[in-house]
Amino acid sequence: MNNKTNRGMVYLVGAGPGDEGLLTLRGAEYLQSAHVVVYDYLCNEALLKMAHNDAEIIYVGKQAAAHTLSQEEINQLLIDKAKEGKNVIRMKGGDPFVFGRGGEEALALVESGIEFEVVPGITAGIAASAYAGIPFTHRGVATTAGFVTGHEMAGKEKSDIDWDKISGLGTLVFYMGVKNLPVIVEKLKKTGRKGSTPVALVRWGTRSNQQTVTGTLDSIVGEVDNVQLKPPALIIVGEVVNLRSKLQWFDNKPLFGKRIVVTRSRTQASFLCEKLKRAGADVLELPTIDILPLSDQSLIDQEINELEKYDWMVFTSVNSVDIFMERLFNSGRDVRSLYLLKLAVIGNETAKVLKSYGLVADLMPGRFTSFAVVDEFKKIQCTLNRKNVLIPGSLIAGDVIPEGLKEMGADVHTVAIYENRLPQYRVEQIDKIFQKTPDLVTFSSSSTVNHLVEILESLGRMEYVKAIKGASIGPITTETAVERGIELALEAKEHTINGLVDEILKNSTGV
Ligand code: SAH
């Protein structure tokens, strides 16, 4: 961010319509370096995790339970924070200059001599229709289009909207119009739109709870009434709406509308979450494991000094690779010091991370369990007699591999480099996830099961355990889940994250 004066700057940033991926690169960059973030109701709060830990986050949305700021107070807040020398992100849903009062805020900044920039966002009118499979314009169907406020008629004697002029546009998209739907329909019909004109309402467009109602000018009020559709929603009027029947692509994804809880550790969850989101799921992240590198790493540092004495190294998780590599680089060495070693891994994700450091695993069993590693060593008939094996891993690592390899004659050194901690949650956070029973809770290891039950137990919410329908990565996790009284909906055939997702997709109709 540039900052020409010792005053701060204000960045009016469009947060996009809701789907986190629809924030612009510039918006993300500014969000990451802001001192203050002022946001409102239509911004997806998930975007806030991009902000710096020390950033001051201020909610000024109208839906706030307690205090809400008037527009003047919001303007003043932006001015005051900028005068304190801070860089302020004013984040608004969609685009700041499309029915967002961004223009008014910019004018107030100009009057106070505060520098500002505008970062456009994808406005809901474009995004929600796209996600509903409705092109805003379409050759031969709609060659003109317009955005209209659906809000202004309430109680107004004379409308600022020239209905005669706009009514004939190919596509009309009304913002803030749900309450006024009957008035809008009437005005359009009076100004020449046929009762058979197709109409769609899209609520919470681009989000996993997107809801679409379609009909015609004649039927839409009844259709909307039937499902009691509430704001925020757009009203899309025009022949383009008919294209939805062919172009629907988002809200017919296999997991669309399913609420799936992911219990993996924070560092490992993203891959699973991404896959589930791509399949349309509403993913609720509830990490049950915090992976923390041990503060005292002197033991592994010592081994790193003597790497040449080792013949094999075994990595049982992605974490062990990452943390070991960090120690290796920290010692001033790099992967060349591993050139004499052979490497064994559990899991293709571990192999993948290893490869990202330029290293290819020499041994990776088809099944991703500790027993399989030992079997694989037996299978390749390599002699481990008097061979030195280093296993950097978790503080709570089991002894299946070390014992198995010792039996084969190896001299095994296990070194703890990280620990798995139980994260702390407030009961409200847990209630938010479980009060409406999730369709599925994923478990990718026994610890995720044990930790989730411990978290729920410590917060006095054991009733949630009974309501869980689990998706387990494999037999060992399943066994733990059964012991803990968790009902399982499915178990992955291939014991990997991909395998878990495949099985969830296969079961998606029943989930
Ligand atoms: N600046 C915003 C619009 C703010 S006006 C933008 O560019 O998108 C608020 C109205 O926008 C809501 O009443 C609703 O009509 C519409 N809206 C905003 N986000 C929406 C979404 N995700 N889905 C459907 N409509 C949305």
mmCIF file of all heavy atoms in Angstrom, residues 345-368:
data_model
loop_
_atom_site.group_PDB
_atom_site.id
_atom_site.type_symbol
_atom_site.label_atom_id
_atom_site.label_comp_id
_atom_site.label_asym_id
_atom_site.label_seq_id
_atom_site.Cartn_x
_atom_site.Cartn_y
_atom_site.Cartn_z
ATOM 1 N N VAL A 345 7.613 -43.264 3.172
ATOM 2 C CA VAL A 345 6.519 -42.398 3.621
ATOM 3 C C VAL A 345 5.229 -43.184 3.805
ATOM 4 O O VAL A 345 5.038 -44.244 3.205
ATOM 5 C CB VAL A 345 6.205 -41.257 2.610
ATOM 6 C CG1 VAL A 345 7.387 -40.344 2.421
ATOM 7 C CG2 VAL A 345 5.701 -41.806 1.290
ATOM 8 N N ILE A 346 4.349 -42.635 4.640
ATOM 9 C CA ILE A 346 2.963 -43.116 4.678
ATOM 10 C C ILE A 346 2.110 -42.081 3.972
ATOM 11 O O ILE A 346 2.135 -40.906 4.327
ATOM 12 C CB ILE A 346 2.428 -43.259 6.117
ATOM 13 C CG1 ILE A 346 3.256 -44.256 6.910
ATOM 14 C CG2 ILE A 346 0.964 -43.693 6.092
ATOM 15 C CD1 ILE A 346 2.678 -44.572 8.276
ATOM 16 N N GLY A 347 1.366 -42.508 2.986
ATOM 17 C CA GLY A 347 0.375 -41.640 2.362
ATOM 18 C C GLY A 347 0.897 -40.859 1.173
ATOM 19 O O GLY A 347 2.023 -40.361 1.189
ATOM 20 N N ASN A 348 0.054 -40.762 0.140
ATOM 21 C CA ASN A 348 0.551 -40.046 -1.045
ATOM 22 C C ASN A 348 0.616 -38.542 -0.838
ATOM 23 O O ASN A 348 1.340 -37.855 -1.537
ATOM 24 C CB ASN A 348 -0.223 -40.407 -2.325
ATOM 25 C CG ASN A 348 -1.705 -40.305 -2.143
ATOM 26 O OD1 ASN A 348 -2.149 -39.771 -1.134
ATOM 27 N ND2 ASN A 348 -2.474 -40.801 -3.097
ATOM 28 N N GLU A 349 -0.110 -38.036 0.181
ATOM 29 C CA GLU A 349 0.039 -36.599 0.448
ATOM 30 C C GLU A 349 1.415 -36.312 1.043
ATOM 31 O O GLU A 349 2.048 -35.315 0.734
ATOM 32 C CB GLU A 349 -1.033 -36.130 1.410
ATOM 33 C CG GLU A 349 -2.355 -35.943 0.716
ATOM 34 C CD GLU A 349 -3.495 -35.997 1.689
ATOM 35 O OE1 GLU A 349 -3.549 -35.116 2.550
ATOM 36 O OE2 GLU A 349 -4.301 -36.946 1.595
ATOM 37 N N THR A 350 1.871 -37.232 1.890
ATOM 38 C CA THR A 350 3.211 -37.077 2.465
ATOM 39 C C THR A 350 4.239 -37.132 1.336
ATOM 40 O O THR A 350 5.170 -36.330 1.291
ATOM 41 C CB THR A 350 3.482 -38.193 3.503
ATOM 42 O OG1 THR A 350 2.354 -38.272 4.368
ATOM 43 C CG2 THR A 350 4.715 -37.924 4.311
ATOM 44 N N ALA A 351 4.028 -38.077 0.407
ATOM 45 C CA ALA A 351 4.951 -38.202 -0.728
ATOM 46 C C ALA A 351 4.942 -36.914 -1.550
ATOM 47 O O ALA A 351 5.983 -36.452 -2.013
ATOM 48 C CB ALA A 351 4.547 -39.392 -1.597
ATOM 49 N N LYS A 352 3.759 -36.357 -1.706
ATOM 50 C CA LYS A 352 3.634 -35.136 -2.517
ATOM 51 C C LYS A 352 4.394 -33.977 -1.889
ATOM 52 O O LYS A 352 5.102 -33.229 -2.555
ATOM 53 C CB LYS A 352 2.143 -34.766 -2.629
ATOM 54 C CG LYS A 352 1.722 -34.460 -4.055
ATOM 55 C CD LYS A 352 0.350 -33.870 -4.074
ATOM 56 C CE LYS A 352 -0.695 -34.866 -4.525
ATOM 57 N NZ LYS A 352 -2.055 -34.392 -4.331
ATOM 58 N N VAL A 353 4.254 -33.838 -0.567
ATOM 59 C CA VAL A 353 4.950 -32.743 0.116
ATOM 60 C C VAL A 353 6.460 -32.964 0.027
ATOM 61 O O VAL A 353 7.232 -32.037 -0.209
ATOM 62 C CB VAL A 353 4.489 -32.640 1.586
ATOM 63 C CG1 VAL A 353 5.334 -31.652 2.355
ATOM 64 C CG2 VAL A 353 3.042 -32.224 1.634
ATOM 65 N N LEU A 354 6.850 -34.217 0.166
ATOM 66 C CA LEU A 354 8.273 -34.544 0.056
ATOM 67 C C LEU A 354 8.793 -34.120 -1.317
ATOM 68 O O LEU A 354 9.862 -33.537 -1.455
ATOM 69 C CB LEU A 354 8.432 -36.059 0.241
ATOM 70 C CG LEU A 354 9.819 -36.579 0.605
ATOM 71 C CD1 LEU A 354 10.318 -35.953 1.892
ATOM 72 C CD2 LEU A 354 9.787 -38.096 0.741
ATOM 73 N N LYS A 355 7.992 -34.387 -2.316
ATOM 74 C CA LYS A 355 8.386 -34.063 -3.689
ATOM 75 C C LYS A 355 8.510 -32.556 -3.881
ATOM 76 O O LYS A 355 9.350 -32.090 -4.656
ATOM 77 C CB LYS A 355 7.357 -34.623 -4.675
ATOM 78 C CG LYS A 355 7.942 -34.827 -6.039
ATOM 79 C CD LYS A 355 7.100 -35.735 -6.870
ATOM 80 C CE LYS A 355 7.748 -35.906 -8.240
ATOM 81 N NZ LYS A 355 6.873 -36.574 -9.158
ATOM 82 N N SER A 356 7.680 -31.811 -3.141
ATOM 83 C CA SER A 356 7.765 -30.352 -3.272
ATOM 84 C C SER A 356 9.132 -29.851 -2.796
ATOM 85 O O SER A 356 9.539 -28.747 -3.114
ATOM 86 C CB SER A 356 6.631 -29.674 -2.510
ATOM 87 O OG SER A 356 6.854 -29.776 -1.126
ATOM 88 N N TYR A 357 9.840 -30.669 -2.025
ATOM 89 C CA TYR A 357 11.208 -30.314 -1.623
ATOM 90 C C TYR A 357 12.240 -30.934 -2.573
ATOM 91 O O TYR A 357 13.442 -30.908 -2.324
ATOM 92 C CB TYR A 357 11.492 -30.807 -0.193
ATOM 93 C CG TYR A 357 10.699 -30.078 0.867
ATOM 94 C CD1 TYR A 357 9.532 -30.628 1.377
ATOM 95 C CD2 TYR A 357 11.115 -28.839 1.348
ATOM 96 C CE1 TYR A 357 8.800 -29.967 2.353
ATOM 97 C CE2 TYR A 357 10.380 -28.170 2.325
ATOM 98 C CZ TYR A 357 9.224 -28.737 2.820
ATOM 99 O OH TYR A 357 8.502 -28.074 3.782
ATOM 100 N N GLY A 358 11.757 -31.560 -3.632
ATOM 101 C CA GLY A 358 12.672 -32.144 -4.618
ATOM 102 C C GLY A 358 13.083 -33.562 -4.277
ATOM 103 O O GLY A 358 14.080 -34.066 -4.798
ATOM 104 N N LEU A 359 12.325 -34.228 -3.408
ATOM 105 C CA LEU A 359 12.714 -35.577 -2.968
ATOM 106 C C LEU A 359 11.629 -36.597 -3.311
ATOM 107 O O LEU A 359 10.444 -36.359 -3.061
ATOM 108 C CB LEU A 359 12.929 -35.580 -1.455
ATOM 109 C CG LEU A 359 14.050 -34.668 -0.956
ATOM 110 C CD1 LEU A 359 13.914 -34.422 0.531
ATOM 111 C CD2 LEU A 359 15.416 -35.281 -1.278
ATOM 112 N N VAL A 360 12.044 -37.711 -3.882
ATOM 113 C CA VAL A 360 11.075 -38.739 -4.266
ATOM 114 C C VAL A 360 11.164 -39.887 -3.255
ATOM 115 O O VAL A 360 12.263 -40.338 -2.921
ATOM 116 C CB VAL A 360 11.358 -39.242 -5.688
ATOM 117 C CG1 VAL A 360 10.427 -40.384 -6.061
ATOM 118 C CG2 VAL A 360 11.215 -38.094 -6.683
ATOM 119 N N ALA A 361 10.006 -40.332 -2.772
ATOM 120 C CA ALA A 361 10.005 -41.417 -1.783
ATOM 121 C C ALA A 361 10.483 -42.724 -2.422
ATOM 122 O O ALA A 361 10.109 -43.038 -3.551
ATOM 123 C CB ALA A 361 8.601 -41.585 -1.223
ATOM 124 N N ASP A 362 11.302 -43.462 -1.688
ATOM 125 C CA ASP A 362 11.775 -44.758 -2.197
ATOM 126 C C ASP A 362 10.798 -45.864 -1.841
ATOM 127 O O ASP A 362 10.750 -46.888 -2.503
ATOM 128 C CB ASP A 362 13.144 -45.092 -1.574
ATOM 129 C CG ASP A 362 14.178 -44.052 -1.943
ATOM 130 O OD1 ASP A 362 14.636 -44.066 -3.097
ATOM 131 O OD2 ASP A 362 14.490 -43.191 -1.087
ATOM 132 N N LEU A 363 10.058 -45.649 -0.781
ATOM 133 C CA LEU A 363 9.133 -46.695 -0.343
ATOM 134 C C LEU A 363 7.829 -46.050 0.123
ATOM 135 O O LEU A 363 7.818 -45.160 0.969
ATOM 136 C CB LEU A 363 9.786 -47.490 0.795
ATOM 137 C CG LEU A 363 8.997 -48.647 1.413
ATOM 138 C CD1 LEU A 363 9.950 -49.779 1.785
ATOM 139 C CD2 LEU A 363 8.218 -48.209 2.640
ATOM 140 N N MET A 364 6.731 -46.482 -0.521
ATOM 141 C CA MET A 364 5.419 -45.983 -0.101
ATOM 142 C C MET A 364 4.424 -47.118 -0.255
ATOM 143 O O MET A 364 4.101 -47.519 -1.366
ATOM 144 C CB MET A 364 4.999 -44.806 -0.969
ATOM 145 C CG MET A 364 3.648 -44.263 -0.567
ATOM 146 S SD MET A 364 3.145 -42.818 -1.513
ATOM 147 C CE MET A 364 2.388 -43.601 -2.909
ATOM 148 N N PRO A 365 3.950 -47.662 0.853
ATOM 149 C CA PRO A 365 3.019 -48.786 0.735
ATOM 150 C C PRO A 365 1.687 -48.338 0.140
ATOM 151 O O PRO A 365 1.313 -47.176 0.270
ATOM 152 C CB PRO A 365 2.832 -49.246 2.176
ATOM 153 C CG PRO A 365 3.252 -48.115 3.024
ATOM 154 C CD PRO A 365 4.214 -47.289 2.241
ATOM 155 N N GLY A 366 0.997 -49.275 -0.504
ATOM 156 C CA GLY A 366 -0.304 -48.975 -1.114
ATOM 157 C C GLY A 366 -1.340 -48.616 -0.076
ATOM 158 O O GLY A 366 -2.184 -47.758 -0.291
ATOM 159 N N ARG A 367 -1.283 -49.299 1.075
ATOM 160 C CA ARG A 367 -2.200 -48.934 2.164
ATOM 161 C C ARG A 367 -1.472 -47.951 3.061
ATOM 162 O O ARG A 367 -0.259 -48.056 3.253
ATOM 163 C CB ARG A 367 -2.591 -50.189 2.958
ATOM 164 C CG ARG A 367 -3.656 -51.022 2.256
ATOM 165 C CD ARG A 367 -3.972 -52.283 3.046
ATOM 166 N NE ARG A 367 -2.770 -53.060 3.354
ATOM 167 C CZ ARG A 367 -2.355 -53.323 4.589
ATOM 168 N NH1 ARG A 367 -3.026 -52.913 5.626
ATOM 169 N NH2 ARG A 367 -1.253 -54.042 4.783
ATOM 170 N N PHE A 368 -2.245 -47.010 3.632
ATOM 171 C CA PHE A 368 -1.583 -45.937 4.343
ATOM 172 C C PHE A 368 -1.648 -46.146 5.846
ATOM 173 O O PHE A 368 -2.224 -45.355 6.585
ATOM 174 C CB PHE A 368 -2.188 -44.592 3.927
ATOM 175 C CG PHE A 368 -2.079 -44.368 2.447
ATOM 176 C CD1 PHE A 368 -3.046 -43.669 1.761
ATOM 177 C CD2 PHE A 368 -0.994 -44.866 1.733
ATOM 178 C CE1 PHE A 368 -2.942 -43.463 0.396
ATOM 179 C CE2 PHE A 368 -0.874 -44.666 0.369
ATOM 180 C CZ PHE A 368 -1.853 -43.977 -0.307
#
